[in-house]
């Protein structure tokens, strides 16, 4: 079985603040993509991703569907500032690698 492994990095900005991928993912997942809100079917999928995020320790394993949801949401998220860390986050999300899971995974 295969999964996408996404490292939950923590970067330091030039201002000395922490930019935590975990925090950014949580906001992206919880924020509706439009003013109409979130349908219950989509909410169920997003809660599964939040569950994985909450259980993650350093990285999270995603199905290809979950990974595509996150990439799509990050691509249309209305970022409120210009930031190198945001660009790196999106690049890292888009470039996450597929791994083969073993029984020990």
């Amino acid at each position: 079985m295969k999964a996408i492994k996404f490292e939950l990095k923590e970067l330091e900005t030039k201002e000395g603040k922490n930019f935590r991928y975990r925090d950014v993912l949580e906001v992206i997942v919880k924020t509706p993509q439009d003013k109409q809100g979130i349908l219950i079917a989509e909410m169920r999928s997003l809660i599964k991703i939040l569950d994985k995020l909450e259980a993650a320790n350093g990285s999270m394993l995603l199905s290809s569907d979950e990974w595509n949801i996150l990439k799509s949401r990050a691509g249309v998220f209305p970022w409120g500032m210009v930031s190198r860390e945001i660009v790196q986050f999106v690049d890292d999300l888009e470039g996450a690698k597929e791994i083969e899971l073993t029984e020990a995974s």
Side-chain angles (χ1 to χ4, degrees):
M1 185 172 165
K2 295 184 179 188
I4 309 300
K5 184 175 182 179
F6 183 62
E7 299 293 331
L8 298 172
K9 295 179 182 178
E10 188 169 322
L11 308 176
E12 185 173 333
T13 67
K14 286 186 176 183
E15 297 80 20
K17 296 181 181 179
N18 289 334
F19 184 92
R20 294 174 27 133
Y21 283 18
R22 177 184 302 273
D23 298 339
V24 175
L25 279 175
E26 185 175 354
V27 170
I28 288 171
V29 169
K30 288 183 173 180
T31 303
Q33 290 183 298
D34 58 39
K35 295 179 182 177
Q36 296 178 13
I38 298 175
L39 299 174
I40 194 69
E42 182 181 11
M43 189 177 297
R44 285 189 172 100
S45 297
L46 295 172
I47 286 172
K48 288 179 184 177
I49 294 171
L50 285 174
D51 289 344
K52 287 185 175 187
L53 182 59
E54 290 169 4
N57 186 13
S59 65
M60 59 189 297
L61 297 177
L62 303 162
S63 70
S64 59
D65 288 343
E66 293 165 336
W67 181 50
N68 286 324
I69 288 169
L70 290 177
K71 289 189 306 178
S72 173
R73 292 180 77 82
V76 298
F77 190 80
W79 303 101
M81 60 177 11
V82 174
S83 164
R84 288 174 180 83
E85 292 79 23
I86 292 170
V87 172
Q88 183 175 344
F89 165 78
V90 173
D91 288 349
D92 287 347
L93 182 60
E94 290 175 351
K97 301 294 182 200
E98 186 175 66
I99 62 167
E100 187 71 40
L101 296 178
T102 62
E103 284 193 35
S105 293

